[in-house]
Amino acid sequence: MKTLKHITLLFVAVVCLGLASCAENQLQKAIEETNKMMPIKIARNFEITNVTDDGQYVVYRYELAENIYDMDQIRQNATKEAMQQQLQTMLQSNPDGKAFFDIVKESGRGLKFEYVGTPSGDTCEVTLENDEL
């Protein structure tokens, strides 16, 4: 009976590792596909330049021209609540985006939105933990 319990526990552990590995592979492929579309222009001199995985977060990097956009204003407006609201709006209207964020959630990652001003390199970051997605 003990042997059966050990075999069952081993099987469950292997399945869990396989599912985690599957989510990791799906995430890496989704990031690669997303980066093929980069840069994505949001507005004049404001674009998403790439998406990366730092192990804890899937990071969206935005670059914006400081001669047009005020980084202090970005900091003021780029709140967790604003990002969650924008994310919810996007997920309702974009099935492909929803599939991507489902993969992010399954992989246990959060999201990080990194705004980088050019030319100074001044940054502003907003993070959403996995349980906030």
Side-chain angles (χ1 to χ4, degrees):
M1 193 65 166
K2 275 188 173 183
T3 304
L4 182 59
K5 285 182 183 179
H6 286 91
I7 291 171
T8 303
L9 288 173
L10 181 60
F11 176 73
V12 169
V14 169
V15 168
C16 288
L17 285 172
L19 291 175
S21 176
C22 184
E24 292 291 320
N25 289 338
Q26 285 182 322
L27 179 62
Q28 295 312 313
K29 287 179 184 177
I31 289 172
E32 287 174 19
E33 288 302 312
T34 301
N35 278 320
K36 288 178 183 177
M37 297 182 286
M38 298 299 166
I40 297 174
K41 186 175 183 174
I42 304 298
R44 184 172 155 238
N45 293 317
F46 191 144
E47 59 189 26
I48 304 172
T49 57
N50 69 346
V51 179
T52 58
D53 175 9
D54 72 5
Q56 187 174 0
Y57 299 100
V58 171
V59 182
Y60 279 80
R61 181 183 172 100
Y62 295 79
E63 291 185 5
L64 51 123
E66 292 170 303
N67 63 337
I68 299 173
Y69 302 99
D70 182 356
M71 284 300 289
D72 290 330
Q73 191 71 36
I74 297 292
R75 281 186 193 87
Q76 185 176 4
N77 293 326
T79 64
K80 275 190 180 207
E81 294 78 18
M83 297 310 290
Q84 285 172 317
Q85 187 174 20
Q86 287 178 4
L87 189 58
Q88 288 303 319
T89 301
M90 188 276 299
L91 293 178
Q92 291 172 359
S93 63
N94 184 339
D96 291 336
K98 182 173 181 350
F100 179 79
F101 288 110
D102 286 345
I103 294 169
V104 171
K105 184 131 178 88
E106 287 174 26
S107 72
R109 305 292 197 281
L111 290 174
K112 183 184 291 183
F113 302 93
E114 179 182 62
Y115 297 89
V116 181
T118 56
S120 78
D122 188 14
T123 62
C124 168
E125 292 182 353
V126 179
T127 59
L128 298 176
E129 301 301 327
N130 183 271
D131 63 353
E132 296 174 312
L133 299 178

